[in-house]
């Protein structure tokens, strides 16, 4: 066994021993370590500095009680988290997730991934993530507001525009960011840069809402072009019907593809005429309804219960945009049998290790989440820049910068893969490019 492999295995054993019950976190670390051997073979100084054991331990984990009152006057309690994972290259940056499944393992996996994603954007932002096991589904606007106010009452003690800047994620969109920001402002005074994804009238950036979905489409377009093809005439399967999915559907159509599916946690629709993103937007963003409603409104669409990744329908490209581990080995086999030649991830860690192995074995182009969905956080960082400068850029200017950032991410991933002898492996390339920048910053800063 090489010194590098030995080091990777011994650090993983320590992490597994420390947190044996954190399945999602262990999965994210394991996937990452699997691509790191060439880096540690080339850079024994990283082993000397025990960089990985330091990097996998969050700088700070904050867990807190979130008491709130429902509309019937009941006192409810949820659990809040903020994991400030790594600040080597800039303030912690990463979203807040509100979903009943949220626990420390999920927040740590997301925070860990965020370190490398943020590094890949080329912007000066560190990695963090947070959230709560609060379920926003079925809650009134007033309940959402009271929850957000209580959550921020505690979180406000730990964040700041130069230290930690949260944004949205699953269950946190413009409405929630508004309530969170309003409470922060009452407690600590106006400080526009403290959250991103804000409304346009109070410091938000044009194109932030669209950024993750648009960025995913730009990244995928780069990946296709590097392989002598593009979106023109391609059939595309999308999962999810939230922020990422909606704007991926819009941009893929603009780039010449036809999106034939989208979904929520109950089921999916197939629309052979191409999914109309405006209808999805109306249902999910305005009415806060279910994707089933789409089939009631659009004659060419059919609704089916279950996972879209079990559907047997032909497509060329798959864009999972819902949640972690939505495609396992069996579903990946279906995706491949359906004809997919490329998979790019809008959601964080939507493919299990078995699914990734299946793509690689079948020669399917694979764009990993930390590269393909980095557009959201990139535009969040641009929102921070605009707030600091007290300027607002036009939609076109932000969108152009987003496109350039996604092109750079793809190019840097390709370059790193070539440099470390794993050409064509965009997963390894993204991990290596994201990691080396953070590792070098940590080395330069001494024992941090
Ligand atoms: P939203 O809350 O806007 O939408 C999430 C969508 O995924 C909904 O359609 C939801 O359906 C579905 N979904 C959520 N959980 C599950 C589940 N367990 N099983 C099946 N479907 C599920 O979230 P976003 O669009 O913002 O986020 C989607 C993914 O993209 C997440 O992995 C997130 O971490 C990632 N991401 C988001 C970014 C952003 O800027 N928003 C940036 C980078 C990554 P339902 O309504 O039924 O729950």
């Amino acid at each position: 066994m090489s010194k590098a492999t030995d080091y990777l295995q011994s650090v993983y054993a320590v992490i597994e021993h420390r947190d044996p019950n954190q399945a999602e976190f262990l999965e994210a670390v394991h996937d990452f370590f699997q691509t790191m051997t060439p880096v540690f073979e080339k850079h024994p100084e990283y082993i000397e500095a025990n960089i990985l054991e330091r990097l996998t331990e969050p700088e700070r984990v904050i867990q807190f009680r979130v008491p709130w009152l429902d509309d019937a006057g009941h006192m409810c309690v949820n659990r809040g988290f903020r994991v400030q994972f790594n600040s080597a290259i800039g303030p912690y940056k990463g979203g807040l997730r509100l979903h009943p499944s949220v626990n420390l393992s999920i927040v740590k996996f997301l925070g860990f991934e965020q370190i490398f994603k943020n590094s890949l954007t080329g912007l000066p932002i560190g990695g963090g993530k947070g959230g709560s096991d609060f379920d926003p589904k079925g809650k009134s606007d007033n309940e959402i507001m009271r929850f957000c106010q209580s959550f921020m009452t505690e979180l406000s003690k730990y964040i700041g525009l130069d230290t930690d800047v949260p944004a949205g994620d699953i269950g946190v969109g413009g409405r929630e960011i508004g309530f969170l920001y309003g409470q922060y402002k009452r407690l600590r005074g106006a400080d526009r840069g403290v959250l991103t994804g804000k409304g346009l009238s109070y410091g938000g950036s044009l194109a932030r809402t669209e950024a993750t979905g648009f960025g995913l489409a730009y990244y995928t377009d780069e990946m296709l072009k590097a392989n002598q093809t593009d979106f023109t005439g391609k059939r595309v399967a999308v999962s999810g019907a939230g922020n990422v999915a909606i704007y991926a559907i819009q941009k893929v159509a603009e780039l010449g593809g036809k999106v034939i599916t989208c979904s929520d946690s109950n089921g999916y629709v197939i629309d052979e005429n191409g999914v109309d993103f405006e209808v999805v937007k109306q249902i999910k963003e305005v009415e806060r309804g279910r994707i089933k409603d789409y089939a009631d409104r659009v004659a060419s669409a059919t609704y089916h219960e279950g996972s879209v990744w079990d559907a047997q329908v032909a497509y060329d490209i798959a864009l999972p945009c819902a949640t972690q581990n939505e495609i396992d080995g069996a579903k990946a086999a279906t995706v491949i049998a359906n004809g997919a030649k490329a998979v790019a991830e809008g959601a964080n860690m939507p493919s299990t290790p078995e699914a990734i192995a299946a793509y690689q074995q079948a020669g399917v182009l694979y764009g990993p989440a930390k590269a393909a969905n980095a557009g959201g956080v990139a535009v969040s960082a641009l929102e921070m820049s605009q707030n600091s400068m007290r300027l607002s850029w036009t939609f076109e200017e932000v969108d152009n910068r987003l496109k350039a950032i996604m092109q750079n991410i793809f190019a840097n991933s390709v370059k790193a893969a070539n440099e470390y002898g794993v050409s064509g492996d965009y997963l390894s390339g993204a991990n290596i490019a994201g990691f080396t920048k953070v590792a070098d910053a940590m080395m330069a800063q001494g024992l941090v």
Side-chain angles (χ1 to χ4, degrees):
M1 202 188 301
S2 76
K3 196 174 168 193
T5 323
D6 193 33
Y7 175 63
L8 288 160
Q9 286 188 1
S10 67
V11 176
Y12 187 76
V14 171
I15 300 165
E16 204 175 21
H17 178 72
R18 274 193 185 132
D19 293 308
N21 301 319
Q22 296 184 353
E24 295 83 1
F25 176 58
L26 290 173
E27 181 184 334
V29 171
H30 192 264
D31 285 1
F32 181 77
F33 278 20
Q34 287 219 306
T35 60
M36 282 292 114
T37 306
V39 179
F40 285 83
E41 276 171 353
K42 199 166 175 178
H43 294 283
E45 70 274 18
Y46 290 152
I47 302 179
E48 289 305 308
N50 196 6
I51 203 85
L52 280 184
E53 202 177 329
R54 292 195 271 145
L55 194 61
T56 49
E57 188 64 24
E59 288 176 20
R60 195 169 300 104
V61 172
I62 300 145
Q63 184 183 313
F64 49 97
R65 179 169 66 198
V66 190
W68 58 280
L69 209 55
D70 73 11
D71 287 344
H74 296 128
M75 294 180 202
C76 308
V77 178
N78 284 95
R79 187 172 276 181
F81 301 95
R82 186 72 182 165
V83 172
Q84 298 180 330
F85 223 119
N86 192 293
S87 61
I89 63 170
Y92 311 107
K93 180 94 198 81
L96 299 171
R97 176 176 291 191
L98 298 183
H99 193 272
S101 63
V102 167
N103 57 32
L104 186 56
S105 170
I106 289 183
V107 181
K108 278 179 68 183
F109 119 64
L110 290 164
F112 182 69
E113 292 275 295
Q114 197 81 43
I115 301 169
F116 311 109
K117 178 187 311 193
N118 292 2
S119 163
L120 277 171
T121 65
L123 301 167
I125 38 178
K129 200 83 187 188
S132 171
D133 58 2
F134 173 79
D135 186 358
K137 265 193 216 117
K139 302 289 191 300
S140 70
D141 284 354
N142 280 335
E143 288 174 324
I144 300 279
M145 181 177 72
R146 286 194 294 272
F147 172 83
C148 288
Q149 290 179 338
S150 179
F151 184 86
M152 182 51 87
T153 300
E154 186 60 24
L155 185 70
S156 65
K157 298 169 189 167
Y158 309 101
I159 61 175
L161 84 167
D162 290 321
T163 52
D164 185 356
V165 183
D169 190 76
I170 290 177
V172 177
R175 174 182 59 170
E176 292 75 18
I177 292 289
F179 294 148
L180 290 163
Y181 179 67
Q183 182 69 357
Y184 184 88
K185 201 157 62 66
R186 287 176 73 195
L187 293 165
R188 325 270 302 182
D191 198 348
R192 289 191 160 185
V194 81
L195 285 171
T196 57
K198 297 184 292 297
L200 295 177
S201 59
Y202 58 95
S205 173
L206 285 160
R208 172 61 187 93
T209 309
E210 293 83 355
T212 311
F214 277 23
L216 171 65
Y218 294 144
Y219 175 93
T220 310
D221 197 36
E222 284 302 296
M223 181 168 80
L224 295 173
K225 284 181 175 146
N227 290 276
Q228 294 74 50
T229 182
D230 59 26
F231 271 115
T232 314
K234 298 287 189 307
R235 290 164 63 87
V236 181
V238 166
S239 65
N243 174 263
V244 180
I246 289 171
Y247 298 99
I249 296 169
Q250 179 186 357
K251 188 51 76 178
V252 165
E254 285 173 18
L255 293 173
K258 180 154 98 171
V259 175
I260 51 154
T261 69
C262 64
S263 69
D264 60 22
S265 53
N266 297 111
Y268 59 93
V269 291
I270 298 181
D271 185 350
E272 283 294 339
N273 281 356
V275 172
D276 183 339
F277 88 95
E278 293 280 13
V279 177
V280 182
K281 206 169 139 170
Q282 172 68 22
I283 292 170
K284 299 302 279 190
E285 283 185 1
V286 181
E287 300 167 22
R288 300 188 189 277
R290 308 301 299 161
I291 204 60
K292 188 173 188 295
D293 305 342
Y294 183 95
D296 297 336
R297 265 170 232 193
V298 179
S300 52
T302 52
Y303 176 74
H304 312 263
E305 299 275 324
S307 164
V308 65
W309 304 121
D310 288 324
Q312 289 175 3
V313 53
Y315 46 80
D316 309 291
I317 298 164
L319 303 178
C321 296
T323 194
Q324 66 273 0
N325 292 333
E326 57 178 292
I327 307 185
D328 60 14
K331 289 182 169 62
T334 305
V335 169
I336 294 162
N338 285 339
K341 300 281 182 292
V343 177
E345 298 179 328
N348 282 310
M349 202 169 77
S351 309
T352 64
E354 295 74 28
I356 296 169
Y359 308 147
Q360 287 171 337
Q361 216 169 2
V364 169
L365 301 176
Y366 170 56
K370 62 173 73 67
N373 74 20
V377 75
V379 172
S380 273
L382 299 181
E383 183 175 329
M384 290 164 72
S385 304
Q386 292 169 78
N387 291 160
S388 297
M389 292 192 289
R390 303 192 185 285
L391 283 176
S392 295
W393 295 331
T394 62
F395 189 98
E396 199 186 11
E397 174 152 15
V398 179
D399 191 32
N400 284 339
R401 284 177 190 258
L402 167 65
K403 194 170 179 182
I405 289 169
M406 298 314 294
Q407 288 170 337
N408 270 334
I409 289 175
F410 183 74
N412 287 337
S413 302
V414 168
K415 188 165 165 260
N418 291 343
E419 211 174 305
Y420 284 84
V422 284
S423 295
D425 178 347
Y426 306 132
L427 170 63
S428 294
N431 284 347
I432 295 169
F435 167 77
T436 45
K437 181 175 170 190
V438 176
D440 290 343
M442 287 177 73
M443 300 281 280
Q445 291 167 29
L447 185 54
V448 291

